[in-house]
């Protein structure tokens, strides 16, 4: 029963990532694209964690933590670039 629930959740998060990719490619504003990229990071984290639960391996949780840190840093850098036009002052 748990395997079925995890497979359904993985499918739903995958569909959400496809919608995020659509918004990332067709977003009208750069801010919309940055938000879509941030949401893709969150969805990829959830997908990695769900896959780790499904496989029963703890290594996937460390990978999700790494994706979270990279996602935060890249979102901060992109927002700074969008506001000021330069990342390093």
């Amino acid at each position: 029963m748990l395997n079925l629930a995890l497979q359904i959740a993985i499918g739903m998060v995958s569909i959400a990532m496809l919608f995020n990719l659509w918004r990332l490619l067709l977003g009208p504003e750069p801010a919309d694209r940055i938000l879509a990229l941030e949401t893709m990071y969150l969805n990829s984290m959830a997908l990695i964690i769900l896959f780790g639960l499904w496989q029963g391996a703890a290594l996937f949780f460390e990978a999700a933590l790494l994706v979270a840190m990279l996602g935060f840093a890249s979102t901060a850098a992109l927002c700074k670039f969008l506001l000021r036009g330069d990342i390093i002052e």
Side-chain angles (χ1 to χ4, degrees):
M1 186 70 177
L2 181 63
N3 283 337
L4 179 64
L6 285 173
Q7 289 175 355
I8 291 171
I10 287 171
M12 289 180 163
V13 172
S14 299
I15 291 171
M17 283 189 72
L18 287 175
F19 285 142
N20 286 331
L21 181 65
W22 178 59
R23 177 51 58 193
L24 182 66
L25 295 175
L26 299 177
E29 299 290 326
D32 293 332
R33 292 181 175 171
I34 291 174
L35 286 174
L37 186 64
E38 174 68 23
T39 309
M40 280 187 82
Y41 276 119
L42 290 173
N43 284 339
S44 65
M45 249 179 33
L47 193 63
I48 290 170
I49 289 172
L50 286 170
F51 192 70
L53 286 173
W54 189 41
Q55 293 294 318
L59 185 64
F60 290 102
F61 300 111
E62 294 176 10
L65 183 63
L66 185 64
V67 168
M69 290 189 301
L70 288 173
F72 173 74
S74 67
T75 301
L78 283 172
C79 289
K80 189 173 181 183
F81 178 74
L82 187 64
L83 289 175
R84 295 186 183 153
D86 193 16
I87 296 174
I88 300 173
E89 295 176 352

